[in-house]
Amino acid sequence: MMRRSSGKKTGQQVSGSAPVNSSAGASDLFRSGSNKAVSKETERIDQLFYTYYDKSSGLIGPEGIEAFCSDVEVDHTDVRILMLAWRMKAERQGYFTLEEWRRGLKAIRADTVSKFKKALSELEKEVMRPQNFQDFYSYSFRYCLTEERQKSVDIEIACELLHLVLGLKFRPQIDRLGEYLKKQHEYKVVNMDQWLAILRFCNEINFPSLDNYDPDLAWPILLDNFVEWMREQQA
């Protein structure tokens, strides 16, 4: 607010006082209005959180997530819900804290169900940008580590996750890799190094010819075996 002079109301500047800075006053008013808008947005986001949270845990749990997905007309297994978890930086699979919820919904500017529906396509575009996708891909693996000190996921879960995360971009590779992983008996789990190498494989290796695959370039043995299996299938 603008400060009033302690002098008489003569309409003239009081001697020795600083001139009123109207631009500073306008800036203060703008900041005040902006802060109120942010506060209202946070309030609506919080109200949305409390619509779906579990009172006993103070978190949105699996049932709350399913209810939310039903309201926004998206299946709870849709990859975009995993993208939302990535945007929230959610730490525990199937659970959202209030802080995570705020972080994610503020980032995509969605403080209502209708705004969330509209924001989904933009969220998908954001994740698919090369500079973001690597981080999202790594996050999706960590998100599935549900036990303390867990460093790998079961083959079956890895196949489901690969189909979800990479299936749209690399369907032929992921279909054949999934087929191989389910048939082989040497590996029961997939670790982070193997997970990251699969993305690199999809990005760099010609498929289905595999003519530029060099096993001497420190690929995981899992992928060496997969390539060998593919070549046997093609023979």
Side-chain angles (χ1 to χ4, degrees):
M1 293 179 63
M2 295 164 59
R3 253 192 274 173
R4 299 176 71 179
S5 165
S6 59
K8 295 180 180 178
K9 300 178 184 178
T10 61
Q12 297 178 350
Q13 182 180 315
V14 178
S15 177
S17 66
V20 173
N21 187 333
S22 60
S23 63
S27 177
D28 287 345
L29 287 171
F30 175 79
R31 278 198 297 271
S32 175
S34 177
N35 289 339
K36 285 181 181 177
V38 170
S39 177
K40 284 290 184 184
E41 179 193 43
T42 302
E43 187 178 316
R44 287 190 292 267
I45 288 172
D46 287 4
Q47 286 174 350
L48 204 56
F49 176 87
Y50 291 120
T51 301
Y52 302 105
Y53 90 124
D54 178 77
K55 291 181 181 179
S56 61
S57 68
L59 305 169
I60 293 180
E63 289 185 5
I65 291 174
E66 287 198 30
F68 174 68
C69 289
S70 176
D71 287 348
V72 298
E73 299 174 338
V74 172
D75 193 279
H76 70 280
T77 61
D78 193 296
V79 69
R80 291 172 295 180
I81 300 304
L82 181 57
M83 291 174 178
L84 176 63
W86 167 77
R87 208 65 184 85
M88 289 182 180
K89 298 181 182 176
E91 293 185 0
R92 185 181 173 195
Q93 186 181 32
Y95 295 87
F96 299 145
T97 67
L98 176 58
E99 182 182 354
E100 290 166 350
W101 183 262
R102 283 176 179 168
R103 184 189 297 132
L105 268 64
K106 282 182 179 180
I108 64 174
R109 298 177 181 176
D111 55 11
T112 65
V113 165
S114 60
K115 285 182 182 178
F116 182 85
K117 289 180 183 179
K118 293 174 183 176
L120 279 177
S121 59
E122 284 303 314
L123 174 61
E124 192 169 1
K125 287 177 187 175
E126 180 187 1
V127 171
M128 289 303 176
R129 294 186 186 111
Q131 65 270 31
N132 291 331
F133 189 78
Q134 174 87 29
D135 187 62
F136 168 69
Y137 181 76
S138 300
Y139 170 84
S140 67
F141 184 88
R142 293 194 303 272
Y143 193 59
C144 286
L145 302 178
T146 55
E147 303 295 330
E148 190 176 352
R149 297 183 181 179
Q150 183 181 347
K151 295 184 178 180
S152 58
V153 297
D154 293 345
I155 288 291
E156 186 176 346
I157 294 174
C159 289
E160 290 176 4
L161 194 57
L162 283 169
H163 179 79
L164 185 68
V165 176
L166 288 184
L168 291 176
K169 292 183 72 174
F170 303 105
R171 175 56 58 83
Q173 293 94 317
I174 296 308
D175 281 351
R176 295 313 302 272
L177 179 60
E179 182 185 350
Y180 166 73
L181 288 174
K182 290 173 183 176
K183 284 183 176 180
Q184 59 82 41
H185 301 289
E186 189 173 351
Y187 292 91
K188 302 292 185 186
V189 297
V190 171
N191 61 36
M192 178 63 94
D193 287 343
Q194 293 164 334
W195 179 258
L196 294 175
I198 290 170
L199 176 60
R200 180 184 151 217
F201 177 91
C202 291
N203 279 318
E204 296 180 9
I205 301 304
N206 300 331
F207 196 88
S209 70
L210 307 172
D211 56 2
N212 63 334
Y213 185 85
D214 183 351
D216 294 329
L217 293 181
W219 292 101
I221 296 173
L222 173 69
L223 288 175
D224 288 343
N225 293 346
F226 168 60
V227 170
E228 185 178 339
W229 176 82
M230 277 287 297
R231 287 174 174 161
E232 287 174 358
Q233 301 295 305
Q234 295 166 351

